[in-house]
Amino acid sequence: MAFINPMVFAATSAFMQIRAGAAQRRRYEEQARWKKINGSIEAAKHREQGVSILRQMNESLASVVAGAEASGVVAFQGSAQDRATFRVMAPGMEDFKSTSRNAELAMLGAAAQARDLQAAGKQAYLAGVAGAMGTLAGSAQQQQQLRLQSLQNEQQIAVANLGNDQQIE
């Protein structure tokens, strides 16, 4: 059977550790990409709610104006203006601002989660590289210890042979 240098096994193991770290990094990157996409979808839903609120406000204002005109009141003065301002515009704008903030928060939250996942991916890759370096260093150290032990054994044999040669003479 042919002898295979243990460093070949160590190098193979190190290579696989780096590949595993890189694969983990790609998985984290993919999760980060989906977080950003989901954040965009969530933000779009909030923006859609905001548009719906603005449409409802427009319909309500049209109703206030039409009601004022129908009753012979000037549309944007006195009680008609108060009704438009305090019962339609103010609450509607608050709701619209809230949906706008929610959209922004959805994007910011998704971006933060994506950054965390990307950082985790980088750490996974670095852990793979560190593991590979540790494997190679450990194998090199083991090889060095074996060489040192072999040299010590050779020296002991040489000393023993020298002693035997001196006894024979």
Side-chain angles (χ1 to χ4, degrees):
M1 184 169 169
F3 173 75
I4 298 176
N5 188 332
M7 284 301 288
V8 172
F9 293 118
T12 302
S13 175
F15 176 72
M16 296 308 290
Q17 287 174 329
I18 291 172
R19 283 192 57 179
Q24 185 66 29
R25 183 180 195 171
R26 285 190 299 276
R27 284 190 291 275
Y28 278 121
E29 290 288 338
E30 185 67 18
Q31 288 177 5
R33 192 171 73 80
W34 279 106
K35 284 288 182 188
K36 288 180 183 178
I37 289 170
N38 288 334
S40 295
I41 290 169
E42 196 65 30
K45 288 178 184 177
H46 288 295
R47 287 188 194 102
E48 191 175 306
Q49 287 175 340
V51 170
S52 176
I53 289 168
L54 291 176
R55 282 193 183 121
Q56 290 172 356
M57 275 180 34
N58 195 28
E59 290 172 9
S60 295
L61 286 173
S63 176
V64 168
V65 169
E69 294 289 330
S71 61
V73 177
V74 177
F76 293 105
Q77 290 182 354
S79 63
Q81 182 180 4
D82 289 346
R83 185 178 299 147
T85 301
F86 298 115
R87 292 194 179 175
V88 176
M89 293 290 288
M93 287 309 293
E94 284 302 314
D95 290 346
F96 177 74
K97 288 177 191 175
S98 177
T99 59
S100 295
R101 282 190 300 270
N102 289 341
E104 186 177 345
L105 290 173
M107 291 296 292
L108 291 173
Q113 289 175 344
R115 279 192 307 275
D116 289 346
L117 288 166
Q118 289 167 335
K122 184 177 181 179
Q123 290 303 316
Y125 177 74
L126 292 175
V129 170
M133 293 301 185
T135 297
L136 291 174
S139 182
Q141 182 181 12
Q142 187 177 26
Q143 288 288 344
Q144 186 65 24
Q145 287 175 346
L146 289 174
R147 283 190 197 114
L148 182 60
Q149 187 177 10
S150 177
L151 284 174
Q152 288 172 346
N153 289 343
E154 287 176 16
Q155 286 176 346
Q156 289 173 353
I157 291 170
V159 167
N161 286 338
L162 185 63
N164 289 339
D165 288 343
Q166 289 176 353
Q167 286 179 356
I168 294 175
E169 294 178 359

